[in-house]
Amino acid sequence: ESAERLGIARARLLRTAQFDPERLEAKEGRVSPQEYSRLRELTLDLSADPALGLHEGEAMTGISFDVVAPLLAHAASLRHGLETLFRIHKLLGDRLRYELSENEHAATPRYASIAGISARVRRFMAELELTACRRMIHYYCAGARLQQVCFEHAAPTYRHEYTRVFQGAECFEQPFTGIVFDRALLDTPLPFRDEELYRALRAQAEYRVSQLTQRA
């Protein structure tokens, strides 16, 4: 879908990647890290957009994440949303992508890169994930100021796009990839949540996770 938004025909992308399009019909299907890396490499090549990870993160909608996005939309706070995401992460991928570290003053969701993918795709994924994480933080805490947005990779030639997206909080060649912000924001209550809807969506999400676990 992200390739199609860029005008890249789905059939062309899948044919070039030698990926069977019928696999896309399997709702609970999985692709290997190597297959995913290959598809992303081709999308980067065909798009000719080196900052695609940032741009795709900005263009994401809840529709792409099935039950996960509406469930997180009704969590009580950012902390509750992150805890919910950690609990049902298998609906998005087999491996937990984030861990939350805290000290007296700061909180940091840290992103763990997928093993077995190219450096180029690791950078793409870091851009995509931290752009999405920034949006999540601002959803729960409108107007929140990010202290640092840390990337393990070196600053790319399109650094100005990072500055546009992260408003100067970006820093490179760091020991981890993640976002640092005021710890107090974790427990800021979300004023327009629906607890009853949250419980119903959580039950559905947890059922789907259990189905995946049984198939594994």
Side-chain angles (χ1 to χ4, degrees), residues 138-199:
H138 286 158
Y139 172 78
Y140 288 101
C141 312
R145 188 183 71 83
L146 306 181
Q147 296 174 9
Q148 286 185 308
V149 181
C150 302
F151 294 93
E152 294 171 85
H153 57 257
T157 56
Y158 52 91
R159 180 173 183 164
H160 61 282
E161 279 296 273
Y162 283 78
T163 301
R164 180 184 64 80
V165 173
F166 299 113
Q167 300 180 324
E170 70 283 352
C171 48
F172 300 92
E173 299 182 78
Q174 300 299 302
F176 67 91
T177 293
I179 297 181
V180 183
F181 57 90
D182 185 347
R183 184 187 182 195
L185 296 177
L186 283 173
D187 299 307
T188 301
L190 188 67
F192 46 85
R193 63 188 295 256
D194 185 324
E195 173 63 25
E196 184 176 350
L197 180 56
Y198 173 83
R199 288 197 301 268

Short mmCIF file of all heavy atoms in Angstrom, two decimals, residues 138-199:
data_model
loop_
_atom_site.label_atom_id
_atom_site.label_comp_id
_atom_site.label_asym_id
_atom_site.label_seq_id
_atom_site.Cartn_x
_atom_site.Cartn_y
_atom_site.Cartn_z
N HIS A 138 2.34 12.62 20.76
CA HIS A 138 1.57 13.85 20.59
C HIS A 138 0.07 13.60 20.60
O HIS A 138 -0.71 14.50 20.93
CB HIS A 138 1.98 14.55 19.30
CG HIS A 138 3.31 15.23 19.41
ND1 HIS A 138 4.09 15.55 18.32
CD2 HIS A 138 4.02 15.65 20.49
CE1 HIS A 138 5.20 16.13 18.72
NE2 HIS A 138 5.18 16.21 20.04
N TYR A 139 -0.35 12.37 20.26
CA TYR A 139 -1.77 12.04 20.35
C TYR A 139 -2.22 12.07 21.82
O TYR A 139 -3.26 12.63 22.15
CB TYR A 139 -2.03 10.65 19.75
CG TYR A 139 -3.44 10.16 19.97
CD1 TYR A 139 -4.49 10.63 19.18
CD2 TYR A 139 -3.74 9.25 20.99
CE1 TYR A 139 -5.79 10.19 19.38
CE2 TYR A 139 -5.03 8.81 21.20
CZ TYR A 139 -6.06 9.28 20.40
OH TYR A 139 -7.34 8.85 20.62
N TYR A 140 -1.43 11.45 22.68
CA TYR A 140 -1.79 11.40 24.10
C TYR A 140 -1.46 12.71 24.82
O TYR A 140 -2.13 13.06 25.81
CB TYR A 140 -1.05 10.26 24.79
CG TYR A 140 -1.56 8.89 24.43
CD1 TYR A 140 -0.90 8.10 23.50
CD2 TYR A 140 -2.71 8.37 25.01
CE1 TYR A 140 -1.35 6.84 23.16
CE2 TYR A 140 -3.18 7.11 24.68
CZ TYR A 140 -2.50 6.34 23.75
OH TYR A 140 -2.97 5.11 23.41
N CYS A 141 -0.44 13.40 24.38
CA CYS A 141 0.04 14.60 25.07
C CYS A 141 0.24 15.71 24.05
O CYS A 141 1.37 15.98 23.62
CB CYS A 141 1.36 14.31 25.80
SG CYS A 141 1.36 12.81 26.80
N ALA A 142 -0.84 16.31 23.64
CA ALA A 142 -0.77 17.35 22.60
C ALA A 142 0.18 18.47 23.02
O ALA A 142 0.15 18.95 24.15
CB ALA A 142 -2.16 17.93 22.35
N GLY A 143 1.06 18.83 22.10
CA GLY A 143 2.00 19.90 22.36
C GLY A 143 3.22 19.49 23.17
O GLY A 143 4.01 20.34 23.57
N ALA A 144 3.37 18.18 23.41
CA ALA A 144 4.52 17.70 24.19
C ALA A 144 5.83 18.07 23.50
O ALA A 144 5.95 17.97 22.28
CB ALA A 144 4.43 16.19 24.36
N ARG A 145 6.80 18.48 24.30
CA ARG A 145 8.12 18.80 23.75
C ARG A 145 9.02 17.58 23.91
O ARG A 145 9.18 17.04 25.01
CB ARG A 145 8.74 19.99 24.48
CG ARG A 145 10.03 20.49 23.83
CD ARG A 145 10.64 21.64 24.63
NE ARG A 145 11.19 21.19 25.89
CZ ARG A 145 12.41 20.65 26.04
NH1 ARG A 145 13.19 20.48 24.96
NH2 ARG A 145 12.85 20.29 27.22
N LEU A 146 9.60 17.13 22.81
CA LEU A 146 10.53 16.00 22.85
C LEU A 146 11.92 16.51 23.19
O LEU A 146 12.41 17.45 22.57
CB LEU A 146 10.53 15.28 21.49
CG LEU A 146 9.16 14.85 20.96
CD1 LEU A 146 9.33 14.13 19.63
CD2 LEU A 146 8.44 13.97 21.97
N GLN A 147 12.54 15.91 24.17
CA GLN A 147 13.88 16.36 24.58
C GLN A 147 14.94 15.94 23.56
O GLN A 147 15.80 16.73 23.19
CB GLN A 147 14.21 15.80 25.97
CG GLN A 147 13.30 16.32 27.06
CD GLN A 147 13.54 15.65 28.40
OE1 GLN A 147 14.51 14.90 28.57
NE2 GLN A 147 12.66 15.89 29.36
N GLN A 148 14.87 14.67 23.13
CA GLN A 148 15.79 14.16 22.13
C GLN A 148 15.10 13.08 21.31
O GLN A 148 14.30 12.32 21.85
CB GLN A 148 17.05 13.55 22.76
CG GLN A 148 18.05 14.53 23.34
CD GLN A 148 19.29 13.81 23.83
OE1 GLN A 148 19.22 12.86 24.60
NE2 GLN A 148 20.45 14.25 23.36
N VAL A 149 15.42 13.04 20.02
CA VAL A 149 15.02 11.93 19.16
C VAL A 149 16.32 11.32 18.65
O VAL A 149 17.02 11.93 17.84
CB VAL A 149 14.13 12.41 18.00
CG1 VAL A 149 13.70 11.22 17.14
CG2 VAL A 149 12.90 13.15 18.53
N CYS A 150 16.67 10.17 19.18
CA CYS A 150 18.01 9.60 19.00
C CYS A 150 18.03 8.52 17.91
O CYS A 150 17.16 7.64 17.89
CB CYS A 150 18.49 8.99 20.31
SG CYS A 150 18.55 10.15 21.69
N PHE A 151 19.03 8.59 17.07
CA PHE A 151 19.24 7.59 16.02
C PHE A 151 20.65 7.04 16.12
O PHE A 151 21.61 7.80 16.33
CB PHE A 151 19.04 8.21 14.64
CG PHE A 151 17.63 8.63 14.37
CD1 PHE A 151 17.22 9.94 14.63
CD2 PHE A 151 16.70 7.74 13.87
CE1 PHE A 151 15.91 10.34 14.39
CE2 PHE A 151 15.38 8.13 13.64
CZ PHE A 151 14.99 9.43 13.90
N GLU A 152 20.79 5.74 15.95
CA GLU A 152 22.11 5.13 15.98
C GLU A 152 22.91 5.43 14.72
O GLU A 152 24.14 5.47 14.77
CB GLU A 152 21.97 3.61 16.17
CG GLU A 152 21.38 3.23 17.53
CD GLU A 152 21.04 1.76 17.62
OE1 GLU A 152 21.94 0.96 17.94
OE2 GLU A 152 19.86 1.41 17.36
N HIS A 153 22.23 5.63 13.60
CA HIS A 153 22.95 5.86 12.35
C HIS A 153 23.44 7.32 12.25
O HIS A 153 22.99 8.19 12.99
CB HIS A 153 22.09 5.51 11.13
CG HIS A 153 20.79 6.25 11.08
ND1 HIS A 153 19.59 5.68 11.44
CD2 HIS A 153 20.48 7.52 10.70
CE1 HIS A 153 18.62 6.55 11.28
NE2 HIS A 153 19.13 7.68 10.84
N ALA A 154 24.37 7.53 11.32
CA ALA A 154 24.91 8.87 11.09
C ALA A 154 23.88 9.73 10.38
O ALA A 154 22.94 9.22 9.74
CB ALA A 154 26.18 8.78 10.25
N ALA A 155 24.03 11.03 10.47
CA ALA A 155 23.11 11.96 9.81
C ALA A 155 23.18 11.76 8.30
O ALA A 155 24.26 11.76 7.72
CB ALA A 155 23.47 13.39 10.16
N PRO A 156 22.03 11.58 7.64
CA PRO A 156 22.02 11.40 6.19
C PRO A 156 22.07 12.74 5.47
O PRO A 156 21.99 13.81 6.10
CB PRO A 156 20.69 10.69 5.94
CG PRO A 156 19.80 11.21 7.02
CD PRO A 156 20.69 11.44 8.22
N THR A 157 22.15 12.69 4.17
CA THR A 157 22.22 13.92 3.38
C THR A 157 20.93 14.74 3.47
O THR A 157 20.94 15.94 3.26
CB THR A 157 22.50 13.59 1.90
OG1 THR A 157 21.48 12.69 1.43
CG2 THR A 157 23.86 12.94 1.74
N TYR A 158 19.82 14.09 3.79
CA TYR A 158 18.54 14.78 3.89
C TYR A 158 18.20 15.11 5.35
O TYR A 158 17.03 15.08 5.75
CB TYR A 158 17.42 13.93 3.25
CG TYR A 158 17.34 12.50 3.75
CD1 TYR A 158 16.53 12.16 4.83
CD2 TYR A 158 18.07 11.49 3.14
CE1 TYR A 158 16.45 10.86 5.30
CE2 TYR A 158 18.00 10.19 3.59
CZ TYR A 158 17.18 9.88 4.67
OH TYR A 158 17.12 8.59 5.12
N ARG A 159 19.19 15.47 6.11
CA ARG A 159 18.99 15.77 7.53
C ARG A 159 17.93 16.85 7.74
O ARG A 159 17.23 16.85 8.77
CB ARG A 159 20.31 16.21 8.15
CG ARG A 159 20.18 16.55 9.63
CD ARG A 159 21.50 16.82 10.31
NE ARG A 159 21.31 17.06 11.73
CZ ARG A 159 22.27 17.02 12.64
NH1 ARG A 159 23.51 16.75 12.26
NH2 ARG A 159 22.01 17.26 13.90
N HIS A 160 17.79 17.75 6.80
CA HIS A 160 16.80 18.83 6.95
C HIS A 160 15.38 18.27 7.12
O HIS A 160 14.53 18.90 7.75
CB HIS A 160 16.84 19.77 5.74
CG HIS A 160 16.53 19.09 4.44
ND1 HIS A 160 17.45 18.32 3.76
CD2 HIS A 160 15.39 19.07 3.71
CE1 HIS A 160 16.88 17.85 2.66
NE2 HIS A 160 15.64 18.28 2.60
N GLU A 161 15.13 17.08 6.56
CA GLU A 161 13.81 16.47 6.72
C GLU A 161 13.60 15.99 8.15
O GLU A 161 12.49 16.04 8.67
CB GLU A 161 13.63 15.31 5.74
CG GLU A 161 13.25 15.74 4.34
CD GLU A 161 11.88 16.40 4.31
OE1 GLU A 161 10.86 15.69 4.19
OE2 GLU A 161 11.81 17.65 4.43
N TYR A 162 14.65 15.51 8.79
CA TYR A 162 14.56 15.16 10.21
C TYR A 162 14.22 16.40 11.04
O TYR A 162 13.38 16.35 11.94
CB TYR A 162 15.89 14.59 10.70
CG TYR A 162 16.20 13.17 10.31
CD1 TYR A 162 16.63 12.86 9.03
CD2 TYR A 162 16.09 12.13 11.23
CE1 TYR A 162 16.94 11.55 8.67
CE2 TYR A 162 16.40 10.83 10.89
CZ TYR A 162 16.83 10.54 9.61
OH TYR A 162 17.14 9.25 9.27
N THR A 163 14.88 17.50 10.71
CA THR A 163 14.64 18.74 11.45
C THR A 163 13.19 19.20 11.27
O THR A 163 12.55 19.68 12.23
CB THR A 163 15.61 19.84 10.99
OG1 THR A 163 16.95 19.39 11.20
CG2 THR A 163 15.39 21.13 11.75
N ARG A 164 12.68 19.06 10.07
CA ARG A 164 11.28 19.43 9.81
C ARG A 164 10.32 18.57 10.64
O ARG A 164 9.39 19.08 11.27
CB ARG A 164 10.95 19.28 8.32
CG ARG A 164 9.51 19.66 7.98
CD ARG A 164 9.20 19.39 6.52
NE ARG A 164 9.28 17.97 6.19
CZ ARG A 164 8.29 17.09 6.45
NH1 ARG A 164 7.19 17.48 7.06
NH2 ARG A 164 8.43 15.83 6.10
N VAL A 165 10.58 17.26 10.67
CA VAL A 165 9.68 16.33 11.35
C VAL A 165 9.84 16.41 12.87
O VAL A 165 8.84 16.45 13.61
CB VAL A 165 9.94 14.89 10.87
CG1 VAL A 165 9.13 13.88 11.71
CG2 VAL A 165 9.58 14.74 9.39
N PHE A 166 11.09 16.47 13.36
CA PHE A 166 11.35 16.38 14.80
C PHE A 166 11.70 17.73 15.42
O PHE A 166 12.06 17.79 16.60
CB PHE A 166 12.47 15.37 15.06
CG PHE A 166 12.13 13.98 14.59
CD1 PHE A 166 12.82 13.40 13.53
CD2 PHE A 166 11.11 13.26 15.19
CE1 PHE A 166 12.51 12.13 13.09
CE2 PHE A 166 10.79 11.98 14.76
CZ PHE A 166 11.50 11.41 13.70
N GLN A 167 11.61 18.80 14.66
CA GLN A 167 11.75 20.17 15.16
C GLN A 167 13.08 20.40 15.89
O GLN A 167 13.13 21.08 16.92
CB GLN A 167 10.56 20.52 16.05
CG GLN A 167 9.23 20.44 15.31
CD GLN A 167 8.05 20.77 16.18
OE1 GLN A 167 8.03 20.45 17.36
NE2 GLN A 167 7.06 21.41 15.61
N GLY A 168 14.15 19.83 15.35
CA GLY A 168 15.47 20.07 15.90
C GLY A 168 15.87 19.19 17.06
O GLY A 168 16.98 19.33 17.59
N ALA A 169 15.00 18.27 17.48
CA ALA A 169 15.33 17.39 18.61
C ALA A 169 16.14 16.18 18.17
O ALA A 169 16.62 15.41 19.00
CB ALA A 169 14.05 16.92 19.30
N GLU A 170 16.33 16.01 16.85
CA GLU A 170 17.02 14.82 16.34
C GLU A 170 18.52 14.87 16.66
O GLU A 170 19.13 15.96 16.66
CB GLU A 170 16.81 14.67 14.83
CG GLU A 170 17.50 15.71 13.96
CD GLU A 170 16.85 17.07 13.92
OE1 GLU A 170 15.73 17.22 14.46
OE2 GLU A 170 17.45 18.00 13.35
N CYS A 171 19.10 13.73 16.95
CA CYS A 171 20.55 13.62 17.14
C CYS A 171 20.99 12.24 16.62
O CYS A 171 20.22 11.28 16.69
CB CYS A 171 20.95 13.83 18.59
SG CYS A 171 20.00 12.91 19.80
N PHE A 172 22.19 12.17 16.11
CA PHE A 172 22.66 11.00 15.39
C PHE A 172 23.88 10.37 16.07
O PHE A 172 24.48 10.96 16.95
CB PHE A 172 22.99 11.38 13.95
CG PHE A 172 21.80 11.93 13.20
CD1 PHE A 172 21.56 13.30 13.17
CD2 PHE A 172 20.92 11.08 12.55
CE1 PHE A 172 20.46 13.81 12.50
CE2 PHE A 172 19.81 11.59 11.88
CZ PHE A 172 19.58 12.95 11.85
N GLU A 173 24.19 9.14 15.61
CA GLU A 173 25.32 8.36 16.14
C GLU A 173 25.21 8.23 17.66
O GLU A 173 26.18 8.40 18.39
CB GLU A 173 26.65 8.99 15.72
CG GLU A 173 26.82 9.02 14.20
CD GLU A 173 28.16 9.59 13.76
OE1 GLU A 173 29.16 8.84 13.84
OE2 GLU A 173 28.19 10.77 13.35
N GLN A 174 24.00 7.91 18.10
CA GLN A 174 23.71 7.72 19.51
C GLN A 174 23.80 6.22 19.87
O GLN A 174 23.77 5.37 19.00
CB GLN A 174 22.31 8.24 19.82
CG GLN A 174 22.13 9.73 19.54
CD GLN A 174 23.07 10.57 20.37
OE1 GLN A 174 23.05 10.52 21.60
NE2 GLN A 174 23.90 11.36 19.70
N PRO A 175 23.90 5.90 21.16
CA PRO A 175 24.01 4.49 21.55
C PRO A 175 22.71 3.70 21.42
O PRO A 175 22.71 2.48 21.58
CB PRO A 175 24.46 4.57 23.02
CG PRO A 175 24.02 5.92 23.48
CD PRO A 175 24.12 6.82 22.29
N PHE A 176 21.59 4.37 21.15
CA PHE A 176 20.31 3.70 20.98
C PHE A 176 19.43 4.53 20.05
O PHE A 176 19.72 5.70 19.78
CB PHE A 176 19.60 3.49 22.33
CG PHE A 176 19.18 4.78 22.99
CD1 PHE A 176 17.92 5.32 22.76
CD2 PHE A 176 20.05 5.46 23.83
CE1 PHE A 176 17.53 6.51 23.36
CE2 PHE A 176 19.67 6.66 24.44
CZ PHE A 176 18.41 7.18 24.19
N THR A 177 18.36 3.91 19.57
CA THR A 177 17.35 4.60 18.77
C THR A 177 16.09 4.73 19.61
O THR A 177 15.55 3.72 20.08
CB THR A 177 17.06 3.81 17.48
OG1 THR A 177 18.23 3.83 16.64
CG2 THR A 177 15.89 4.42 16.71
N GLY A 178 15.65 5.94 19.85
CA GLY A 178 14.47 6.13 20.69
C GLY A 178 14.19 7.61 20.92
O GLY A 178 14.91 8.48 20.43
N ILE A 179 13.13 7.88 21.68
CA ILE A 179 12.69 9.25 21.95
C ILE A 179 12.72 9.51 23.45
O ILE A 179 12.19 8.71 24.24
CB ILE A 179 11.28 9.50 21.40
CG1 ILE A 179 11.27 9.34 19.87
CG2 ILE A 179 10.77 10.88 21.80
CD1 ILE A 179 9.93 9.59 19.23
N VAL A 180 13.34 10.61 23.85
CA VAL A 180 13.44 10.99 25.26
C VAL A 180 12.48 12.16 25.51
O VAL A 180 12.49 13.16 24.78
CB VAL A 180 14.88 11.42 25.62
CG1 VAL A 180 14.98 11.74 27.11
CG2 VAL A 180 15.88 10.34 25.22
N PHE A 181 11.64 12.02 26.55
CA PHE A 181 10.70 13.09 26.89
C PHE A 181 10.44 13.07 28.39
O PHE A 181 10.85 12.16 29.11
CB PHE A 181 9.38 12.94 26.10
CG PHE A 181 8.70 11.60 26.29
CD1 PHE A 181 7.77 11.42 27.30
CD2 PHE A 181 9.00 10.53 25.46
CE1 PHE A 181 7.14 10.19 27.48
CE2 PHE A 181 8.37 9.30 25.62
CZ PHE A 181 7.45 9.13 26.64
N ASP A 182 9.76 14.10 28.86
CA ASP A 182 9.45 14.26 30.29
C ASP A 182 8.63 13.06 30.78
O ASP A 182 7.58 12.74 30.23
CB ASP A 182 8.67 15.56 30.47
CG ASP A 182 8.40 15.89 31.93
OD1 ASP A 182 8.59 15.02 32.81
OD2 ASP A 182 7.97 17.03 32.21
N ARG A 183 9.13 12.43 31.85
CA ARG A 183 8.45 11.24 32.37
C ARG A 183 7.00 11.52 32.78
O ARG A 183 6.14 10.65 32.68
CB ARG A 183 9.24 10.71 33.57
CG ARG A 183 8.69 9.41 34.13
CD ARG A 183 9.40 9.01 35.41
NE ARG A 183 8.91 7.75 35.93
CZ ARG A 183 9.13 7.32 37.15
NH1 ARG A 183 9.86 8.05 37.98
NH2 ARG A 183 8.66 6.17 37.55
N ALA A 184 6.72 12.73 33.24
CA ALA A 184 5.36 13.06 33.70
C ALA A 184 4.33 12.88 32.60
O ALA A 184 3.14 12.65 32.87
CB ALA A 184 5.33 14.49 34.23
N LEU A 185 4.76 12.99 31.34
CA LEU A 185 3.82 12.84 30.22
C LEU A 185 3.23 11.44 30.13
O LEU A 185 2.14 11.26 29.59
CB LEU A 185 4.51 13.19 28.90
CG LEU A 185 5.01 14.63 28.74
CD1 LEU A 185 5.75 14.78 27.42
CD2 LEU A 185 3.85 15.61 28.82
N LEU A 186 3.93 10.45 30.67
CA LEU A 186 3.45 9.07 30.59
C LEU A 186 2.09 8.90 31.23
O LEU A 186 1.27 8.09 30.78
CB LEU A 186 4.44 8.12 31.27
CG LEU A 186 5.71 7.75 30.52
CD1 LEU A 186 6.63 6.94 31.42
CD2 LEU A 186 5.40 6.97 29.25
N ASP A 187 1.83 9.65 32.28
CA ASP A 187 0.61 9.45 33.06
C ASP A 187 -0.40 10.57 32.89
O ASP A 187 -1.36 10.67 33.67
CB ASP A 187 0.97 9.25 34.53
CG ASP A 187 1.84 8.01 34.72
OD1 ASP A 187 1.44 6.93 34.25
OD2 ASP A 187 2.94 8.13 35.30
N THR A 188 -0.22 11.39 31.86
CA THR A 188 -1.22 12.41 31.55
C THR A 188 -2.48 11.71 31.04
O THR A 188 -2.43 10.95 30.07
CB THR A 188 -0.71 13.38 30.47
OG1 THR A 188 0.48 14.00 30.93
CG2 THR A 188 -1.76 14.44 30.16
N PRO A 189 -3.65 11.91 31.70
CA PRO A 189 -4.85 11.17 31.28
C PRO A 189 -5.37 11.65 29.92
O PRO A 189 -5.29 12.83 29.59
CB PRO A 189 -5.86 11.49 32.39
CG PRO A 189 -5.39 12.78 32.99
CD PRO A 189 -3.88 12.77 32.87
N LEU A 190 -5.87 10.70 29.16
CA LEU A 190 -6.49 11.02 27.87
C LEU A 190 -7.95 11.40 28.13
O LEU A 190 -8.72 10.57 28.64
CB LEU A 190 -6.40 9.82 26.92
CG LEU A 190 -6.82 10.05 25.48
CD1 LEU A 190 -5.84 10.98 24.78
CD2 LEU A 190 -6.88 8.72 24.72
N PRO A 191 -8.38 12.61 27.81
CA PRO A 191 -9.71 13.07 28.23
C PRO A 191 -10.89 12.48 27.47
O PRO A 191 -12.00 12.48 27.97
CB PRO A 191 -9.63 14.59 28.03
CG PRO A 191 -8.62 14.76 26.94
CD PRO A 191 -7.61 13.66 27.14
N PHE A 192 -10.67 11.98 26.25
CA PHE A 192 -11.82 11.57 25.44
C PHE A 192 -11.82 10.07 25.14
O PHE A 192 -12.25 9.64 24.09
CB PHE A 192 -11.86 12.36 24.13
CG PHE A 192 -10.52 12.46 23.43
CD1 PHE A 192 -10.08 11.46 22.59
CD2 PHE A 192 -9.70 13.56 23.64
CE1 PHE A 192 -8.86 11.55 21.95
CE2 PHE A 192 -8.48 13.66 23.00
CZ PHE A 192 -8.05 12.64 22.16
N ARG A 193 -11.35 9.27 26.08
CA ARG A 193 -11.33 7.83 25.89
C ARG A 193 -12.69 7.23 26.20
O ARG A 193 -13.53 7.84 26.88
CB ARG A 193 -10.27 7.18 26.78
CG ARG A 193 -10.55 7.34 28.27
CD ARG A 193 -9.39 6.85 29.10
NE ARG A 193 -9.18 5.43 28.96
CZ ARG A 193 -9.54 4.53 29.89
NH1 ARG A 193 -10.13 4.93 30.99
NH2 ARG A 193 -9.31 3.25 29.71
N ASP A 194 -12.91 6.01 25.70
CA ASP A 194 -14.15 5.27 25.95
C ASP A 194 -13.74 3.94 26.58
O ASP A 194 -13.29 3.03 25.89
CB ASP A 194 -14.89 5.06 24.63
CG ASP A 194 -16.25 4.40 24.82
OD1 ASP A 194 -16.37 3.54 25.71
OD2 ASP A 194 -17.17 4.73 24.05
N GLU A 195 -13.89 3.82 27.90
CA GLU A 195 -13.43 2.63 28.63
C GLU A 195 -14.15 1.37 28.16
O GLU A 195 -13.53 0.30 28.01
CB GLU A 195 -13.65 2.83 30.13
CG GLU A 195 -13.36 1.60 30.98
CD GLU A 195 -11.92 1.14 30.92
OE1 GLU A 195 -11.03 1.98 30.63
OE2 GLU A 195 -11.66 -0.06 31.15
N GLU A 196 -15.44 1.45 27.91
CA GLU A 196 -16.20 0.28 27.47
C GLU A 196 -15.72 -0.21 26.11
O GLU A 196 -15.53 -1.41 25.88
CB GLU A 196 -17.69 0.61 27.41
CG GLU A 196 -18.57 -0.58 27.07
CD GLU A 196 -20.05 -0.24 27.11
OE1 GLU A 196 -20.40 0.85 27.59
OE2 GLU A 196 -20.85 -1.09 26.65
N LEU A 197 -15.49 0.73 25.19
CA LEU A 197 -14.99 0.36 23.88
C LEU A 197 -13.58 -0.20 23.99
O LEU A 197 -13.24 -1.17 23.30
CB LEU A 197 -14.99 1.59 22.96
CG LEU A 197 -14.48 1.39 21.53
CD1 LEU A 197 -15.26 0.28 20.82
CD2 LEU A 197 -14.58 2.68 20.74
N TYR A 198 -12.76 0.39 24.87
CA TYR A 198 -11.40 -0.13 25.07
C TYR A 198 -11.44 -1.59 25.50
O TYR A 198 -10.69 -2.42 24.98
CB TYR A 198 -10.66 0.72 26.10
CG TYR A 198 -9.31 0.13 26.47
CD1 TYR A 198 -8.19 0.38 25.68
CD2 TYR A 198 -9.16 -0.70 27.59
CE1 TYR A 198 -6.95 -0.18 25.99
CE2 TYR A 198 -7.93 -1.26 27.90
CZ TYR A 198 -6.84 -1.01 27.09
OH TYR A 198 -5.63 -1.58 27.40
N ARG A 199 -12.29 -1.92 26.46
CA ARG A 199 -12.36 -3.30 26.95
C ARG A 199 -12.78 -4.26 25.85
O ARG A 199 -12.25 -5.37 25.73
CB ARG A 199 -13.32 -3.39 28.14
CG ARG A 199 -12.78 -2.75 29.42
CD ARG A 199 -13.57 -3.23 30.64
NE ARG A 199 -14.98 -2.91 30.52
CZ ARG A 199 -15.54 -1.80 30.99
NH1 ARG A 199 -14.78 -0.90 31.62
NH2 ARG A 199 -16.84 -1.58 30.87
#
